[in-house]
Short mmCIF file of all heavy atoms in Angstrom, two decimals:
data_model
loop_
_atom_site.label_atom_id
_atom_site.label_comp_id
_atom_site.label_asym_id
_atom_site.label_seq_id
_atom_site.Cartn_x
_atom_site.Cartn_y
_atom_site.Cartn_z
N ARG A 21 -8.07 0.03 14.09
CA ARG A 21 -7.90 -1.33 13.44
C ARG A 21 -8.79 -1.46 12.27
O ARG A 21 -8.96 -2.55 11.76
CB ARG A 21 -8.04 -2.45 14.45
CG ARG A 21 -7.23 -2.35 15.71
CD ARG A 21 -5.79 -2.32 15.48
NE ARG A 21 -5.26 -3.66 15.05
CZ ARG A 21 -4.12 -3.86 14.52
NH1 ARG A 21 -3.23 -2.88 14.31
NH2 ARG A 21 -3.75 -5.04 14.17
N LYS A 22 -9.48 -0.42 11.83
CA LYS A 22 -10.36 -0.45 10.64
C LYS A 22 -9.45 -0.91 9.44
O LYS A 22 -8.27 -0.47 9.35
CB LYS A 22 -10.99 0.91 10.37
CG LYS A 22 -12.05 0.88 9.32
CD LYS A 22 -12.72 2.26 9.24
CE LYS A 22 -13.84 2.21 8.28
NZ LYS A 22 -14.50 3.55 8.12
N ILE A 23 -9.97 -1.74 8.57
CA ILE A 23 -9.19 -2.30 7.52
C ILE A 23 -9.78 -2.02 6.16
O ILE A 23 -11.00 -1.95 5.98
CB ILE A 23 -9.02 -3.81 7.69
CG1 ILE A 23 -7.95 -4.37 6.81
CG2 ILE A 23 -10.30 -4.56 7.59
CD1 ILE A 23 -7.46 -5.80 7.19
N PHE A 24 -8.86 -1.89 5.17
CA PHE A 24 -9.31 -1.73 3.78
C PHE A 24 -8.50 -2.78 3.00
O PHE A 24 -7.26 -2.88 3.14
CB PHE A 24 -8.95 -0.35 3.22
CG PHE A 24 -9.15 -0.15 1.78
CD1 PHE A 24 -10.41 0.10 1.23
CD2 PHE A 24 -8.08 -0.29 0.89
CE1 PHE A 24 -10.60 0.22 -0.15
CE2 PHE A 24 -8.22 -0.20 -0.50
CZ PHE A 24 -9.48 0.08 -0.99
N VAL A 25 -9.12 -3.51 2.07
CA VAL A 25 -8.48 -4.52 1.24
C VAL A 25 -8.96 -4.37 -0.19
O VAL A 25 -10.16 -4.22 -0.43
CB VAL A 25 -8.74 -5.95 1.79
CG1 VAL A 25 -8.09 -6.96 0.89
CG2 VAL A 25 -8.30 -6.16 3.18
N LYS A 26 -8.04 -4.48 -1.12
CA LYS A 26 -8.37 -4.33 -2.49
C LYS A 26 -7.52 -5.39 -3.31
O LYS A 26 -6.35 -5.59 -3.00
CB LYS A 26 -8.09 -2.95 -3.08
CG LYS A 26 -8.53 -2.78 -4.54
CD LYS A 26 -8.47 -1.35 -4.97
CE LYS A 26 -8.99 -1.26 -6.42
NZ LYS A 26 -9.28 0.11 -6.78
N VAL A 27 -8.12 -6.02 -4.30
CA VAL A 27 -7.53 -7.07 -5.08
C VAL A 27 -6.94 -6.43 -6.37
O VAL A 27 -7.63 -5.67 -7.06
CB VAL A 27 -8.53 -8.15 -5.48
CG1 VAL A 27 -7.84 -9.19 -6.37
CG2 VAL A 27 -9.05 -8.83 -4.20
N PHE A 28 -5.69 -6.85 -6.69
CA PHE A 28 -5.01 -6.36 -7.92
C PHE A 28 -4.53 -7.65 -8.59
O PHE A 28 -4.22 -8.66 -8.00
CB PHE A 28 -3.87 -5.43 -7.64
CG PHE A 28 -4.30 -4.07 -7.26
CD1 PHE A 28 -4.42 -3.74 -5.88
CD2 PHE A 28 -4.70 -3.09 -8.15
CE1 PHE A 28 -4.80 -2.47 -5.43
CE2 PHE A 28 -5.12 -1.85 -7.73
CZ PHE A 28 -5.12 -1.53 -6.35
N GLN A 29 -4.31 -7.57 -9.95
CA GLN A 29 -3.77 -8.70 -10.67
C GLN A 29 -2.19 -8.61 -10.75
O GLN A 29 -1.58 -9.44 -11.30
CB GLN A 29 -4.31 -8.79 -12.12
CG GLN A 29 -5.78 -9.19 -12.09
CD GLN A 29 -6.25 -9.37 -13.51
OE1 GLN A 29 -6.14 -8.50 -14.38
NE2 GLN A 29 -6.97 -10.50 -13.74
N HIS A 30 -1.64 -7.63 -10.15
CA HIS A 30 -0.16 -7.46 -10.08
C HIS A 30 0.23 -6.64 -8.84
O HIS A 30 -0.64 -6.17 -8.19
CB HIS A 30 0.32 -6.68 -11.35
CG HIS A 30 -0.30 -5.34 -11.56
ND1 HIS A 30 0.10 -4.26 -10.82
CD2 HIS A 30 -1.35 -4.96 -12.33
CE1 HIS A 30 -0.62 -3.17 -11.22
NE2 HIS A 30 -1.55 -3.62 -12.10
N GLN A 31 1.50 -6.59 -8.57
CA GLN A 31 1.96 -5.84 -7.41
C GLN A 31 2.95 -4.69 -7.80
O GLN A 31 3.90 -4.40 -7.07
CB GLN A 31 2.56 -6.74 -6.32
CG GLN A 31 3.67 -7.61 -6.82
CD GLN A 31 4.10 -8.53 -5.70
OE1 GLN A 31 3.61 -8.55 -4.61
NE2 GLN A 31 5.16 -9.34 -5.95
N ARG A 32 2.67 -4.08 -8.97
CA ARG A 32 3.54 -2.99 -9.42
C ARG A 32 3.16 -1.74 -8.63
O ARG A 32 2.19 -1.66 -7.96
CB ARG A 32 3.34 -2.75 -10.94
CG ARG A 32 3.87 -3.95 -11.75
CD ARG A 32 3.85 -3.64 -13.27
NE ARG A 32 2.50 -3.39 -13.71
CZ ARG A 32 1.72 -4.30 -14.31
NH1 ARG A 32 2.12 -5.58 -14.43
NH2 ARG A 32 0.46 -3.99 -14.71
N GLN A 33 4.01 -0.74 -8.71
CA GLN A 33 3.81 0.50 -7.94
C GLN A 33 2.48 1.19 -8.25
O GLN A 33 1.91 1.78 -7.34
CB GLN A 33 4.96 1.48 -8.15
CG GLN A 33 6.16 1.20 -7.32
CD GLN A 33 7.16 2.30 -7.32
OE1 GLN A 33 7.31 3.04 -8.26
NE2 GLN A 33 7.93 2.39 -6.22
N GLU A 34 1.98 1.09 -9.43
CA GLU A 34 0.71 1.77 -9.72
C GLU A 34 -0.42 1.12 -8.92
O GLU A 34 -1.38 1.77 -8.56
CB GLU A 34 0.38 1.83 -11.23
CG GLU A 34 0.36 0.46 -11.92
CD GLU A 34 1.61 0.07 -12.61
OE1 GLU A 34 2.69 0.51 -12.21
OE2 GLU A 34 1.51 -0.68 -13.63
N ALA A 35 -0.35 -0.19 -8.61
CA ALA A 35 -1.32 -0.84 -7.77
C ALA A 35 -1.16 -0.28 -6.31
O ALA A 35 -2.18 0.00 -5.60
CB ALA A 35 -1.16 -2.33 -7.78
N LEU A 36 0.07 -0.14 -5.91
CA LEU A 36 0.33 0.46 -4.57
C LEU A 36 -0.27 1.84 -4.43
O LEU A 36 -0.94 2.18 -3.49
CB LEU A 36 1.82 0.47 -4.26
CG LEU A 36 2.26 1.09 -2.95
CD1 LEU A 36 1.84 0.13 -1.78
CD2 LEU A 36 3.78 1.20 -2.94
N PHE A 37 0.00 2.70 -5.48
CA PHE A 37 -0.54 4.01 -5.42
C PHE A 37 -2.04 4.07 -5.41
O PHE A 37 -2.63 4.85 -4.78
CB PHE A 37 0.06 4.87 -6.56
CG PHE A 37 1.60 4.88 -6.60
CD1 PHE A 37 2.29 5.07 -7.77
CD2 PHE A 37 2.30 4.75 -5.45
CE1 PHE A 37 3.64 5.16 -7.83
CE2 PHE A 37 3.71 4.79 -5.46
CZ PHE A 37 4.36 4.94 -6.65
N GLN A 38 -2.58 3.27 -6.33
CA GLN A 38 -4.11 3.20 -6.41
C GLN A 38 -4.69 2.70 -5.16
O GLN A 38 -5.72 3.20 -4.66
CB GLN A 38 -4.53 2.37 -7.62
CG GLN A 38 -6.04 2.43 -7.84
CD GLN A 38 -6.52 3.80 -8.21
OE1 GLN A 38 -5.96 4.42 -9.11
NE2 GLN A 38 -7.43 4.34 -7.47
N GLY A 39 -4.03 1.71 -4.56
CA GLY A 39 -4.50 1.21 -3.27
C GLY A 39 -4.52 2.29 -2.17
O GLY A 39 -5.47 2.34 -1.40
N HIS A 40 -3.46 3.06 -2.14
CA HIS A 40 -3.39 4.18 -1.16
C HIS A 40 -4.56 5.17 -1.37
O HIS A 40 -5.30 5.51 -0.49
CB HIS A 40 -2.11 4.97 -1.31
CG HIS A 40 -0.96 4.33 -0.55
ND1 HIS A 40 -0.24 3.30 -1.02
CD2 HIS A 40 -0.40 4.65 0.63
CE1 HIS A 40 0.70 2.98 -0.18
NE2 HIS A 40 0.60 3.78 0.94
N ALA A 41 -4.74 5.60 -2.63
CA ALA A 41 -5.78 6.57 -2.93
C ALA A 41 -7.21 6.01 -2.56
O ALA A 41 -8.01 6.68 -1.94
CB ALA A 41 -5.73 6.91 -4.43
N ASP A 42 -7.44 4.74 -2.90
CA ASP A 42 -8.73 4.11 -2.58
C ASP A 42 -8.95 3.97 -1.10
O ASP A 42 -9.99 4.16 -0.61
CB ASP A 42 -8.91 2.83 -3.33
CG ASP A 42 -9.01 3.03 -4.88
OD1 ASP A 42 -9.14 4.15 -5.32
OD2 ASP A 42 -8.83 1.97 -5.53
N ALA A 43 -7.86 3.56 -0.39
CA ALA A 43 -7.98 3.43 1.05
C ALA A 43 -8.22 4.74 1.73
O ALA A 43 -9.04 4.80 2.64
CB ALA A 43 -6.66 2.77 1.63
N PHE A 44 -7.55 5.82 1.32
CA PHE A 44 -7.72 7.11 1.94
C PHE A 44 -9.15 7.63 1.69
O PHE A 44 -9.82 8.18 2.58
CB PHE A 44 -6.74 8.14 1.37
CG PHE A 44 -5.31 7.86 1.67
CD1 PHE A 44 -4.32 8.37 0.91
CD2 PHE A 44 -4.95 7.03 2.78
CE1 PHE A 44 -2.98 8.13 1.14
CE2 PHE A 44 -3.66 6.69 3.00
CZ PHE A 44 -2.67 7.23 2.20
N ASP A 45 -9.69 7.32 0.52
CA ASP A 45 -11.13 7.71 0.20
C ASP A 45 -12.07 6.83 1.11
O ASP A 45 -12.97 7.38 1.64
CB ASP A 45 -11.40 7.36 -1.32
CG ASP A 45 -12.73 7.84 -1.65
OD1 ASP A 45 -13.14 8.98 -1.48
OD2 ASP A 45 -13.53 7.02 -2.25
N TYR A 46 -11.77 5.57 1.30
CA TYR A 46 -12.59 4.75 2.10
C TYR A 46 -12.55 5.17 3.57
O TYR A 46 -13.60 5.25 4.23
CB TYR A 46 -12.11 3.27 2.02
CG TYR A 46 -12.76 2.29 2.87
CD1 TYR A 46 -14.02 1.80 2.67
CD2 TYR A 46 -12.08 1.86 4.05
CE1 TYR A 46 -14.65 0.91 3.52
CE2 TYR A 46 -12.67 0.94 4.85
CZ TYR A 46 -13.95 0.45 4.65
OH TYR A 46 -14.55 -0.40 5.45
N PHE A 47 -11.33 5.52 4.04
CA PHE A 47 -11.24 5.98 5.44
C PHE A 47 -11.70 7.41 5.67
O PHE A 47 -11.92 7.81 6.81
CB PHE A 47 -9.83 5.86 5.92
CG PHE A 47 -9.25 4.44 6.03
CD1 PHE A 47 -7.95 4.13 5.48
CD2 PHE A 47 -10.01 3.43 6.57
CE1 PHE A 47 -7.50 2.87 5.62
CE2 PHE A 47 -9.53 2.12 6.66
CZ PHE A 47 -8.25 1.82 6.18
N GLY A 48 -11.86 8.14 4.63
CA GLY A 48 -12.33 9.54 4.74
C GLY A 48 -11.17 10.47 5.10
O GLY A 48 -11.44 11.55 5.61
N GLY A 49 -9.98 10.10 4.80
CA GLY A 49 -8.79 11.01 5.03
C GLY A 49 -7.53 10.15 5.08
O GLY A 49 -7.54 8.97 4.82
N VAL A 50 -6.42 10.82 5.36
CA VAL A 50 -5.10 10.26 5.40
C VAL A 50 -4.66 10.06 6.87
O VAL A 50 -4.70 10.99 7.61
CB VAL A 50 -4.13 11.16 4.63
CG1 VAL A 50 -2.72 10.62 4.66
CG2 VAL A 50 -4.60 11.43 3.20
N PRO A 51 -4.24 8.87 7.20
CA PRO A 51 -3.75 8.64 8.59
C PRO A 51 -2.50 9.43 8.80
O PRO A 51 -1.72 9.71 7.90
CB PRO A 51 -3.49 7.14 8.64
CG PRO A 51 -3.43 6.69 7.22
CD PRO A 51 -4.16 7.67 6.39
N LYS A 52 -2.26 9.78 10.14
CA LYS A 52 -1.04 10.51 10.47
C LYS A 52 0.19 9.72 10.26
O LYS A 52 1.29 10.26 9.92
CB LYS A 52 -1.12 10.97 11.89
CG LYS A 52 -2.13 12.04 12.22
CD LYS A 52 -2.09 12.49 13.65
CE LYS A 52 -3.13 13.56 13.91
NZ LYS A 52 -3.07 13.97 15.26
N THR A 53 0.17 8.41 10.48
CA THR A 53 1.28 7.53 10.35
C THR A 53 0.97 6.36 9.45
O THR A 53 -0.09 5.76 9.57
CB THR A 53 1.73 7.01 11.78
OG1 THR A 53 1.94 8.09 12.64
CG2 THR A 53 2.91 6.09 11.66
N ILE A 54 1.94 6.04 8.56
CA ILE A 54 1.82 4.85 7.73
C ILE A 54 3.09 4.05 7.95
O ILE A 54 4.26 4.57 7.83
CB ILE A 54 1.73 5.20 6.22
CG1 ILE A 54 0.47 5.98 5.96
CG2 ILE A 54 1.74 3.92 5.35
CD1 ILE A 54 0.24 6.42 4.58
N VAL A 55 2.95 2.80 8.29
CA VAL A 55 4.09 1.88 8.56
C VAL A 55 4.01 0.77 7.45
O VAL A 55 2.99 0.12 7.28
CB VAL A 55 3.97 1.26 9.93
CG1 VAL A 55 5.14 0.32 10.16
CG2 VAL A 55 3.92 2.31 11.02
N TYR A 56 5.07 0.60 6.74
CA TYR A 56 5.15 -0.39 5.70
C TYR A 56 5.93 -1.60 6.25
O TYR A 56 6.86 -1.46 6.94
CB TYR A 56 5.85 0.17 4.43
CG TYR A 56 5.15 1.31 3.76
CD1 TYR A 56 5.59 2.58 3.89
CD2 TYR A 56 3.99 1.01 3.01
CE1 TYR A 56 4.86 3.67 3.33
CE2 TYR A 56 3.34 2.05 2.38
CZ TYR A 56 3.80 3.35 2.55
OH TYR A 56 3.14 4.39 1.92
N ASP A 57 5.51 -2.78 5.72
CA ASP A 57 6.36 -3.93 5.94
C ASP A 57 7.48 -3.82 4.92
O ASP A 57 7.69 -2.78 4.36
CB ASP A 57 5.49 -5.27 5.80
CG ASP A 57 4.85 -5.47 4.46
OD1 ASP A 57 5.18 -4.63 3.50
OD2 ASP A 57 4.05 -6.34 4.31
N ASN A 58 8.12 -4.90 4.61
CA ASN A 58 9.30 -4.81 3.71
C ASN A 58 9.00 -5.09 2.26
O ASN A 58 9.81 -5.52 1.49
CB ASN A 58 10.37 -5.73 4.22
CG ASN A 58 10.90 -5.31 5.58
OD1 ASN A 58 10.86 -4.22 5.95
ND2 ASN A 58 11.36 -6.27 6.33
N MET A 59 7.80 -4.74 1.81
CA MET A 59 7.37 -5.00 0.44
C MET A 59 8.27 -4.15 -0.53
O MET A 59 8.57 -2.96 -0.29
CB MET A 59 5.92 -4.72 0.25
CG MET A 59 5.49 -3.29 0.45
SD MET A 59 3.73 -3.20 0.29
CE MET A 59 3.48 -1.49 0.85
N LYS A 60 8.71 -4.83 -1.60
CA LYS A 60 9.63 -4.18 -2.51
C LYS A 60 9.08 -3.01 -3.26
O LYS A 60 9.77 -2.11 -3.69
CB LYS A 60 10.18 -5.17 -3.51
CG LYS A 60 11.04 -6.28 -2.86
CD LYS A 60 11.53 -7.28 -3.82
CE LYS A 60 12.37 -8.32 -3.09
NZ LYS A 60 12.77 -9.37 -3.96
N THR A 61 7.73 -2.94 -3.41
CA THR A 61 7.13 -1.77 -4.14
C THR A 61 7.18 -0.53 -3.32
O THR A 61 7.12 0.61 -3.83
CB THR A 61 5.66 -2.03 -4.50
OG1 THR A 61 4.98 -2.51 -3.33
CG2 THR A 61 5.57 -3.09 -5.58
N ALA A 62 7.42 -0.62 -1.98
CA ALA A 62 7.46 0.58 -1.15
C ALA A 62 8.84 0.81 -0.49
O ALA A 62 9.28 1.90 -0.31
CB ALA A 62 6.40 0.49 0.01
N VAL A 63 9.55 -0.33 -0.17
CA VAL A 63 10.78 -0.21 0.58
C VAL A 63 11.96 -0.67 -0.38
O VAL A 63 11.99 -1.75 -0.84
CB VAL A 63 10.75 -1.14 1.79
CG1 VAL A 63 12.12 -1.15 2.53
CG2 VAL A 63 9.64 -0.71 2.73
N LYS A 64 12.90 0.23 -0.50
CA LYS A 64 14.11 0.03 -1.38
C LYS A 64 15.13 -0.72 -0.55
O LYS A 64 15.77 -1.67 -1.02
CB LYS A 64 14.64 1.31 -1.89
CG LYS A 64 15.78 1.17 -2.78
CD LYS A 64 16.25 2.52 -3.39
CE LYS A 64 17.37 2.37 -4.40
NZ LYS A 64 17.72 3.68 -4.95
N LYS A 65 15.29 -0.31 0.74
CA LYS A 65 16.36 -0.90 1.56
C LYS A 65 15.91 -0.81 2.99
O LYS A 65 15.41 0.21 3.47
CB LYS A 65 17.63 -0.12 1.33
CG LYS A 65 18.84 -0.71 2.05
CD LYS A 65 20.08 0.09 1.76
CE LYS A 65 21.28 -0.50 2.48
NZ LYS A 65 22.52 0.30 2.18
N VAL A 66 16.15 -1.90 3.78
CA VAL A 66 15.90 -1.92 5.16
C VAL A 66 17.14 -1.42 5.85
O VAL A 66 18.18 -1.91 5.67
CB VAL A 66 15.57 -3.42 5.67
CG1 VAL A 66 15.39 -3.42 7.18
CG2 VAL A 66 14.37 -3.92 4.92
N LEU A 67 16.90 -0.39 6.72
CA LEU A 67 17.99 0.23 7.40
C LEU A 67 18.05 -0.28 8.87
O LEU A 67 17.46 -1.28 9.17
CB LEU A 67 17.90 1.75 7.31
CG LEU A 67 17.86 2.33 5.92
CD1 LEU A 67 17.55 3.85 5.97
CD2 LEU A 67 19.10 2.08 5.15
N GLU A 68 18.66 0.46 9.73
CA GLU A 68 18.73 0.04 11.15
C GLU A 68 17.45 0.20 11.87
O GLU A 68 16.76 1.27 11.69
CB GLU A 68 19.85 0.88 11.83
CG GLU A 68 20.22 0.42 13.23
CD GLU A 68 21.35 1.20 13.80
OE1 GLU A 68 22.28 1.60 13.03
OE2 GLU A 68 21.37 1.42 15.04
N GLY A 69 17.08 -0.72 12.74
CA GLY A 69 15.86 -0.66 13.49
C GLY A 69 14.64 -0.66 12.62
O GLY A 69 14.45 -1.49 11.78
N THR A 70 13.74 0.37 12.82
CA THR A 70 12.53 0.45 12.02
C THR A 70 12.65 1.36 10.86
O THR A 70 11.67 1.60 10.14
CB THR A 70 11.39 0.88 12.94
OG1 THR A 70 11.71 2.20 13.50
CG2 THR A 70 11.08 -0.03 14.10
N LYS A 71 13.85 1.88 10.59
CA LYS A 71 14.05 2.85 9.48
C LYS A 71 14.08 2.09 8.18
O LYS A 71 14.60 1.00 8.03
CB LYS A 71 15.25 3.63 9.69
CG LYS A 71 15.22 4.50 10.95
CD LYS A 71 16.45 5.29 11.18
CE LYS A 71 16.33 6.08 12.42
NZ LYS A 71 17.52 6.84 12.77
N ARG A 72 13.53 2.73 7.12
CA ARG A 72 13.51 2.15 5.80
C ARG A 72 13.80 3.29 4.80
O ARG A 72 13.49 4.42 4.98
CB ARG A 72 12.09 1.63 5.46
CG ARG A 72 11.54 0.59 6.43
CD ARG A 72 12.29 -0.70 6.33
NE ARG A 72 11.68 -1.74 7.11
CZ ARG A 72 12.19 -2.07 8.32
NH1 ARG A 72 13.19 -1.43 8.86
NH2 ARG A 72 11.63 -3.09 9.03
#
Side-chain angles (χ1 to χ4, degrees):
R21 307 300 288 166
K22 189 172 182 181
I23 192 167
F24 172 83
V25 179
K26 184 169 184 166
V27 176
F28 290 95
Q29 289 185 311
H30 57 80
Q31 57 183 1
R32 295 186 298 264
Q33 278 191 330
E34 56 264 31
L36 179 68
F37 303 153
Q38 187 63 54
H40 277 81
D42 293 346
F44 298 157
D45 186 52
Y46 174 77
F47 293 136
V50 178
K52 289 183 180 181
T53 303
I54 298 176
V55 179
Y56 294 105
D57 60 10
N58 297 334
M59 61 184 173
K60 292 179 181 178
T61 51
V63 177
K64 184 175 183 178
K65 185 177 180 182
V66 177
L67 304 174
E68 190 174 326
T70 59
K71 297 180 181 174
R72 305 289 185 261

